[in-house]
Amino acid sequence: MSVTIKSPKEIELMRESCRLLSIVHEELGKIIRPGISTWEIDKRGEEIIRSFGCVPNFLHYEGYPASICVSVNEEVVHGIPSKKRILKEGDIVSLDAGLIYKGYHSDAARTYGVGIVSPLAQKLMDVTKQSFFEGIQYARAGHHLHEISVAIQKYCESYGFGVVRDMVGHGIGTHLHEDPQIPNYKPIGRGIKLRPGMTLAVEPMITAGGYEIAWLDDDWTVVTADGSLAAHYENTILITDGDPEILTLPASRNA
């Protein structure tokens, strides 16, 4: 395993990449409504990314055909946008996006309710988001990576939700996916010791039912095997000598 430690200059480039991505998510959140197609969301996301002079890092990544992963209801991740897929009242939709700024990647995901959603859907979204913050309490120099994993799993399972095993978070930097892998459940071992300068994409993927998943025939879209709802929340973070810095959240929310 080769985990990169970013230099001060690299950290500044990562900060800017992630700051721009936070704007993308804020703008996309404003257009989520019943009647919009997932294709329109993707189109708007790519427009914003390119308006910054950046490149959407998901587009054509290992063949993925869009700039924004748009996953609806039982879709966990990697949903492919379509003009035919129209959001409706009560849906939940996860947007996973990233961009490249001067050679440095950012990655973040958010799950939104479309109009008024069920109490179960709202609880799933809330718990998934909070589990990220429960996990990064341990994202500190000197702690072990899997302490993050354990905290996420413990929090989500305390609500009876499923923690996806087959999809994990990852390191990030000059490549979208770098070492280490970051499970959202307790694997064997403690994981690597965290060091200042590591940049990590921590991304709980949580279901309202079991943790088993399946792939659709498009070879991209991952769904819950039992058809239950799924939610996704992700930020790129920086390990420091103190609290982690959440690079893909606006500074006002990163206190």
Side-chain angles (χ1 to χ4, degrees):
M1 181 184 296
S2 177
V3 179
T4 61
I5 303 298
K6 308 305 188 294
S7 70
K9 175 62 175 176
E10 289 179 304
I11 289 169
E12 285 307 310
L13 292 169
M14 290 288 294
R15 281 198 181 104
E16 183 61 10
S17 181
C18 290
R19 185 188 73 83
L20 294 172
L21 182 59
S22 75
I23 296 171
V24 175
H25 272 294
E26 287 204 340
E27 293 303 309
L28 290 181
K30 295 174 183 177
I31 67 172
I32 300 298
R33 65 181 188 278
I36 193 171
S37 72
T38 58
W39 178 85
E40 291 174 274
I41 296 168
D42 175 65
K43 180 174 180 290
R44 181 60 182 141
E46 182 172 350
E47 287 173 350
I48 300 169
I49 291 170
R50 294 195 185 279
S51 76
F52 296 142
C54 296
V55 176
N57 52 10
F58 290 4
L59 183 61
H60 306 313
Y61 182 80
E62 295 187 356
Y64 184 74
S67 298
I68 314 294
C69 295
V70 187
S71 306
V72 183
N73 294 335
E74 76 282 359
E75 296 172 353
V76 182
V77 287
H78 305 160
I80 297 175
S82 168
K83 291 181 179 180
K84 297 179 180 179
R85 188 67 186 267
I86 308 299
L87 298 184
K88 62 182 187 300
E89 186 87 13
D91 285 341
I92 63 173
V93 57
S94 299
L95 308 183
D96 192 1
L99 58 82
I100 307 170
Y101 171 79
K102 295 186 178 179
Y104 285 81
H105 291 255
S106 51
D107 192 4
R110 308 282 184 261
T111 302
Y112 300 95
V114 182
I116 299 172
V117 301
S118 70
L120 174 62
Q122 188 62 56
K123 176 60 72 174
L124 176 64
M125 291 189 293
D126 292 344
V127 168
T128 301
K129 180 177 179 177
Q130 184 58 34
S131 74
F132 165 85
F133 293 97
E134 297 294 321
I136 68 163
Q137 292 182 52
Y138 300 93
R140 303 171 66 93
H143 281 262
H144 287 269
L145 180 69
H146 294 163
E147 292 180 73
I148 299 171
S149 310
V150 170
I152 290 171
Q153 179 180 20
K154 183 177 179 181
Y155 184 78
C156 293
E157 289 184 348
S158 74
Y159 287 90
F161 292 142
V163 179
V164 171
R165 289 350 188 224
D166 293 343
M167 315 294 292
V168 297
H170 50 92
I172 186 170
T174 54
H175 297 82
L176 176 57
H177 293 110
E178 299 182 352
D179 287 334
Q181 292 192 345
I182 309 169
N184 296 306
Y185 63 94
K186 175 65 172 77
I188 296 172
R190 296 190 296 171
I192 62 169
K193 186 172 285 189
L194 300 176
R195 296 169 54 194
M198 291 180 176
T199 46
L200 309 173
V202 179
E203 51 178 322
M205 290 158 276
I206 309 302
T207 80
Y211 63 76
E212 296 87 356
I213 59 173
W215 272 258
L216 297 186
D217 290 341
D218 62 23
D219 292 329
W220 276 105
T221 307
V222 177
V223 299
T224 55
D226 59 10
S228 61
L229 294 174
H232 185 197
Y233 186 81
E234 175 186 20
N235 284 300
T236 299
I237 67 170
L238 168 69
I239 304 299
T240 73
D241 286 317
D243 292 335
E245 184 177 344
I246 307 173
L247 301 177
T248 45
L249 278 181
S252 61
R253 299 185 206 162
N254 199 19

